[in-house]
């Protein structure tokens, strides 16, 4: 029914609507590169840094306090193992990525993979699948889904997050990065497969967490697990970046979204059709910068 002259898709669905009555999709250059614009019905609006908004600085500052941390024993997690983790819903996993995880577990001595019962019905199937790949039963750890606040704090108990390429960690990705947990992610083509890469880039450490192939994904995970000083250095840099990097700068994100809205409105008022555009910080077209 088009209740407004400009209609915009943001966040509700990580992909194109395919709807001719939605003019724009708010995204970013990494998540939706112009070279893939043909798979979107909307015109692409590229926000600087990352399109994905969050507000951890206001709601979850306790994770920044080193004296206010959970212990692995609080959740029955082994103290002596290297723990890989994926907190995504189980539907995001496919045989290719799970086979890769099994290879990683077999290559990294004394390691385990921490997953969520999300849903619980998937646990026995995944345990059976892992066993068939030669993974030891104690290397697969399932815990219940936790409330948001607790989930973020306990995420830091893992050593490395392993992302799912076919549908990335989105909110879960920002959760673990705010907790100071590095990840390995493999971007593909569709929007939902590229969000975690954008999150990583907006921390300033994307080059150390983004890979280009499944083989590179496996090698990066194994390398970080076996080279503890390298992983510790990455973790330290990530924790130090949380209060200054664009990913967690909510006020900065809001200003950029408002720049996008103003540009959309100006195009409409001047009689122009919706078009792809990039929002630039310090652009004098916007009153913020005058």
């Amino acid at each position: 029914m088009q209740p407004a002259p400009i209609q915009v898709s943001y966040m509700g669905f990580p992909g194109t609507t395919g709807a001719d009555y939605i003019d724009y999709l708010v995204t970013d250059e990494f998540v939706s590169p112009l070279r893939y614009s043909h798979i979107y019905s909307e015109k692409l609006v590229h926000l600087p840094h990352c399109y994905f908004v969050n507000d951890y600085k206001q709601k979850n500052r306790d994770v920044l306090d080193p004296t206010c941390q959970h212990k692995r024993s609080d959740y029955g997690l082994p103290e002596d193992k290297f723990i890989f983790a994926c907190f995504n819903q189980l539907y995001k996993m496919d045989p290719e990525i799970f086979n890769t995880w099994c290879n990683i577990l077999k290559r990294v001595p004394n390691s385990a993979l921490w997953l969520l019962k999300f849903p619980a019905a998937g646990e026995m199937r995944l345990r059976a699948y892992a066993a068939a790949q030669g993974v030891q039963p104690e290397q697969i750890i399932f815990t219940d889904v936790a409330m948001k606040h607790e989930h973020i704090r306990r995420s830091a108990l893992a050593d490395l997050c392993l992302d799912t390429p076919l549908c990335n960690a989105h909110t879960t990705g920002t959760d673990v990065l705010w907790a100071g947990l590095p990840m390995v992610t493999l971007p593909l083509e569709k929007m939902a497969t590229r969000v975690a890469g954008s999150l990583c880039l907006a921390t300033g450490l994307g080059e150390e967490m983004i890979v280009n192939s499944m083989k590179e994904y496996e090698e990066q995970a194994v390398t970080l697990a076996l080279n503890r000083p390298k992983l510790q250095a990455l973790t330290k840099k990530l924790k130090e970046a949380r209060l200054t990097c664009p990913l967690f700068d909510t006020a900065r994100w809001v200003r950029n979204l408002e720049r996008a809205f103003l540009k959309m409105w100006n195009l409409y008022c001047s009689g122009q059709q919706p078009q792809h555009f990039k929002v630039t910080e310090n652009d004098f077209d916007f009153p913020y910068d005058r």
Side-chain angles (χ1 to χ4, degrees), residues 49-258:
H49 314 298
C50 181
Y51 87 104
F52 206 88
V53 71
N54 63 79
D55 195 21
Y56 296 101
K57 281 183 182 178
Q58 180 167 282
K59 296 180 180 177
N60 301 98
R61 293 189 71 89
D62 59 311
V63 303
L64 302 173
D65 183 356
T67 66
C68 185
Q69 302 298 322
H70 288 301
K71 300 189 296 293
R72 282 186 173 184
S73 57
D74 295 337
Y75 298 98
L77 298 170
E79 298 283 358
D80 61 335
K81 286 187 182 293
F82 186 96
I83 298 183
F84 297 101
C86 180
F87 301 124
N88 296 348
Q89 293 189 59
L90 302 183
Y91 78 82
K92 294 188 175 185
M93 300 166 193
D94 70 313
E96 184 179 19
I97 193 59
F98 205 82
N99 288 340
T100 300
W101 291 348
C102 289
N103 292 341
I104 293 167
L105 290 172
K106 288 184 284 187
R107 292 178 60 187
V108 177
N110 202 31
S111 63
L113 175 61
W114 179 9
L115 302 171
L116 298 183
K117 299 175 182 179
F118 198 17
E123 178 178 357
M124 295 314 297
R125 290 179 180 274
L126 287 178
R127 286 192 179 281
Y129 191 94
Q133 305 303 310
V135 173
Q136 298 303 307
E138 66 273 13
Q139 288 186 282
I140 304 293
I141 300 168
F142 274 90
T143 60
D144 291 322
V145 176
M147 295 297 289
K148 179 80 166 180
H149 190 74
E150 182 184 11
H151 158 67
I152 294 171
R153 286 201 297 165
R154 75 178 186 178
S155 296
L157 297 173
D159 294 296
L160 183 63
C161 176
L162 299 178
D163 190 29
T164 43
L166 280 188
C167 187
N168 291 172
H170 295 187
T171 302
T172 304
T174 53
D175 289 343
V176 300
L177 292 170
W178 179 250
L181 179 63
M183 72 164 73
V184 178
T185 186
L186 170 61
L188 302 176
E189 291 186 3
K190 295 178 183 177
M191 185 174 184
T193 75
R194 302 181 64 82
V195 173
S198 178
L199 302 178
C200 291
L201 283 171
T203 67
L205 300 166
E207 290 185 3
E208 298 183 63
M209 294 189 277
I210 299 170
V211 297
N212 298 306
S213 68
M214 197 63 78
K215 178 174 173 50
E216 190 180 336
Y217 181 110
E218 180 177 331
E219 294 305 319
Q220 177 75 340
V222 171
T223 297
L224 288 172
L226 297 181
N227 187 340
R228 297 305 284 271
K230 183 176 182 180
L231 178 59
Q232 287 166 357
L234 174 57
T235 303
K236 182 173 184 289
K237 285 187 287 186
L238 177 59
K239 288 181 176 179
E240 291 173 347
R242 289 178 292 185
L243 288 178
T244 57
C245 70
L247 179 61
F248 301 117
D249 191 338
T250 311
R252 185 177 184 176
W253 181 93
V254 169
R255 288 193 297 271
N256 288 326
L257 182 66
E258 291 179 343

